[in-house]
Amino acid sequence: RQVVEAAGEAGSLLKTLSPSLSTLLDAPDLDEERQDQLIAAVAMFLVRLTRHLGGLLLCIDDAQWLDEPSRRVLGQLTSELPNTPLFVLTTVRDDDTFVPAGELLHAEVGAALDVQITLDTLGEPAMRSLISTVISGMTGTGELVELLLVRSAGNPFMLLEYLKAIVDAGLVRPRWGQWLVDTERLDQLHLPDNAVDMVVKECPFLGNDERE
């Protein structure tokens, strides 16, 4: 009910965003594309929904991939933020390749950008602590830990994915309050060298062509 009320008369525009909205919003189909109207409708839908709910967090991960209409939606939202309990959180990669995309996003939201936080890689003590936290009882030393530190290079996501792959392969197992590491097979385990390859490796629904 709240979604339908927030959509209002823009139901015909908003239903094109997703199959779920199309089912929920009982509105006639549009005969032609109206991008400008759709952008305005999406922005106002988010504002109205936020006010209906009393507050909303809009989280956009990897915002460097946003297309131009999506950035315009954020731009239109900025004028409503002072009077709307909406918190917009975006993450953007800071590699040289993505700097232009970050600048485009920054230009669109302008003064509405309140806080910028740069997340650096984790230091070695923090990485050792993370390992001990995830696998309770494992100390922050040993051959496995050293391998994880080298391979992950301070990236907590990579560390956790490597650790999961090693555990899934049966190379680490508990025994009477301790963790045993199969060091002989550990050297034979093929682990991807970067985050993209690791993510692809963890997606069994991808065919060989898509993996390549």
Side-chain angles (χ1 to χ4, degrees):
R1 179 183 56 81
Q2 290 174 318
V3 171
V4 172
E5 290 178 358
E9 297 179 356
S12 296
L13 292 166
L14 295 171
K15 65 184 297 183
T16 63
L17 286 178
S18 75
S20 297
L21 274 180
S22 179
T23 301
L24 190 61
L25 300 176
D26 184 18
D29 295 330
L30 294 178
D31 296 330
E32 58 186 33
E33 295 184 3
R34 304 184 205 172
Q35 189 177 86
D36 289 343
Q37 293 182 9
L38 176 59
I39 290 171
V42 172
M44 289 309 302
F45 169 68
L46 291 172
V47 169
R48 290 170 180 162
L49 185 60
T50 299
R51 292 171 179 169
H52 273 291
L53 298 174
L56 196 67
L57 168 65
L58 175 61
C59 183
I60 304 175
D61 196 17
D62 282 332
Q64 71 275 356
W65 299 121
L66 287 178
D67 56 13
E68 188 264 345
S70 299
R71 289 196 301 270
R72 288 176 57 191
V73 169
L74 291 181
Q76 293 207 18
L77 278 177
T78 59
S79 62
E80 301 290 338
L81 290 181
N83 302 311
T84 306
L86 173 65
F87 186 85
V88 182
L89 172 66
T90 65
T91 66
V92 182
R93 297 183 190 177
D94 59 0
D95 308 37
D96 292 342
T97 305
F98 302 112
V99 168
E103 292 175 344
L104 287 174
L105 180 62
H106 192 289
E108 193 69 60
V109 299
L113 180 60
D114 290 329
V115 180
Q116 284 184 275
I117 301 175
T118 300
L119 299 179
D120 295 323
T121 57
L122 292 183
E124 184 174 312
M127 295 291 276
R128 292 183 187 276
S129 176
L130 179 59
I131 294 173
S132 299
T133 300
V134 173
I135 299 189
S136 179
M138 178 175 286
T139 63
T141 59
E143 182 177 352
L144 174 60
V145 173
E146 299 306 319
L147 171 67
L148 291 170
L149 291 176
V150 172
R151 284 300 189 96
S152 59
N155 185 324
F157 168 78
M158 290 294 291
L159 184 145
L160 295 176
E161 288 298 313
Y162 282 142
L163 192 54
K164 178 177 180 295
I166 291 172
V167 172
D168 288 347
L171 304 185
V172 179
R173 63 186 187 278
R175 181 181 180 185
W176 296 104
Q178 295 181 331
W179 290 94
L180 299 182
V181 180
D182 190 338
T183 55
E184 294 183 1
R185 292 176 55 205
L186 191 60
D187 293 335
Q188 303 172 6
L189 181 64
H190 173 69
L191 295 175
D193 293 325
N194 58 70
V196 174
D197 289 342
M198 176 61 79
V199 171
V200 172
K201 184 176 184 297
E202 293 297 316
C203 294
F205 54 84
L206 293 179
N208 290 331
D209 293 340
E210 292 169 303
R211 287 172 180 266
E212 295 174 0

